Amino acid sequence: MVEPRMGTVHLVDDDPGVRDALAFLLRSRGLDVRAFASGQALLDLLDVEGPRGGPPRGVFLLDVRMEPMSGPRLHDELLARRLRNPVLFLTGHGDIPMVVEALKKGAFDFLEKPYSDNALADRIAQALAVDAAMQAEGAQSAERSARLASLTERECDVMTRVAAGKLNKIIADELNVSIRTVEVHRARVFAKLGVRSAAEVATLLAGR
C-alpha cells in the first residue's frame, strides 16, 4: 500500500473502459488517482489550480495514442508549463519510437501493453517516491533562498569572504572596518543561515 500523501497519479486516457479499470486498480493499491478523459481536461484543471495551489504533487500517467492530443504532445505541454513531475507512458509496441523521443525529453518511463498490474503499480510507486524527493529538494532550495535574501549587503560581503576561508583580520582590512564589526556580521550571517562554520557557509552557497 502506498500512502496517498506521497502525491497523486494524474491519469489521462481517452478510453473510458481502460481509464476506469486503471483508476480502480491504482486506488486498490492505496494510490490517490485523478482521472481525465483528455489531455486538455488535465491542462485546464492545472491552469485553474496552479495560481492558488502551486505546482501539482505526484506523477502523470499518460496513454500514448489519444485524440485530439496525444500523450507525447501532452508531455510537451506539461514541459512548457515548467512541470517536472515524473511522466510515465502506457504504450503499444508500435509506439516505441515515439516514447523513446519522450524519454529524451525527460519522461520517467514507459510500460508496454499488455503490462503487469503489479509492475505498473510498483513503477508508479517508484515515480511517486522520486517526486517526493524532488518536492523536498525544492522546499529546501526555497528555504535556502529565503535565508540568503534576509542578509544585508554588508552581511553578504562578509559571507562571501568567510566562505572563501578568509580570516576576520583580512576581511576587516578588505572592507575597511574593525575586526569587532566583522565578528558581529559573521555571527549574524551564521545565525540567519542556520550554520555553525565557514565550511557550512561554503556548502550552502555551492548549493544555490
Side-chain angles (χ1 to χ4, degrees):
M1 298 287 283
V2 177
E3 181 64 42
R5 291 181 182 177
M6 284 184 68
T8 298
V9 180
H10 303 273
L11 165 65
V12 187
D13 196 310
D14 59 356
D15 184 320
V18 173
R19 186 173 65 250
D20 291 346
L22 276 172
F24 178 81
L25 166 67
L26 298 177
R27 286 169 181 147
S28 73
R29 303 300 175 92
L31 292 163
D32 183 34
V33 181
R34 301 174 87 175
F36 302 87
S38 69
Q40 192 58 56
L42 169 63
L43 295 176
D44 288 345
L45 183 65
L46 293 178
D47 288 342
V48 169
E49 292 186 342
R52 67 188 183 203
R57 289 201 59 185
V59 303
F60 296 103
L61 179 61
L62 315 178
D63 189 42
V64 168
R65 294 195 176 276
M66 297 187 291
E67 295 293 342
M69 183 185 298
S70 69
R73 171 66 188 284
L74 175 55
H75 184 211
D76 288 341
E77 292 291 334
L78 295 173
L79 292 176
R81 286 164 168 75
R82 300 183 180 278
L83 298 179
R84 295 296 183 266
N85 306 62
V87 173
L88 300 95
F89 286 100
L90 297 175
T91 175
H93 179 70
D95 302 323
I96 298 300
M98 194 183 310
V99 174
V100 169
E101 184 63 27
L103 291 174
K104 292 178 181 178
K105 296 179 180 178
F108 183 78
D109 202 357
F110 68 92
L111 291 102
E112 189 175 354
K113 302 172 183 176
Y115 47 80
S116 159
D117 290 353
N118 287 336
L120 173 63
D122 289 346
R123 197 61 178 136
I124 290 175
Q126 291 167 1
L128 284 168
V130 169
D131 177 66
M134 292 170 60
Q135 293 282 352
E137 182 179 346
Q140 291 170 359
S141 177
E143 180 183 1
R144 181 169 58 244
S145 296
R147 287 179 179 272
L148 290 169
S150 72
L151 300 178
T152 65
E153 183 177 352
R154 181 43 59 91
E155 287 167 352
C156 287
D157 291 338
V158 172
M159 173 188 67
T160 55
R161 289 166 171 80
V162 167
K166 294 183 178 180
L167 300 175
N168 287 351
K169 183 180 185 306
I170 302 299
I171 298 174
D173 290 342
E174 290 184 357
L175 298 179
N176 195 27
V177 297
S178 69
I179 294 178
R180 176 56 182 163
T181 297
V182 172
E183 291 173 346
V184 170
H185 285 310
R186 183 186 184 113
R188 288 176 178 171
V189 167
F190 280 25
K192 288 183 177 181
L193 298 185
V195 300
R196 294 178 293 180
S197 69
E200 289 184 52
V201 175
T203 299
L204 185 146
L205 291 180
R208 269 196 301 191

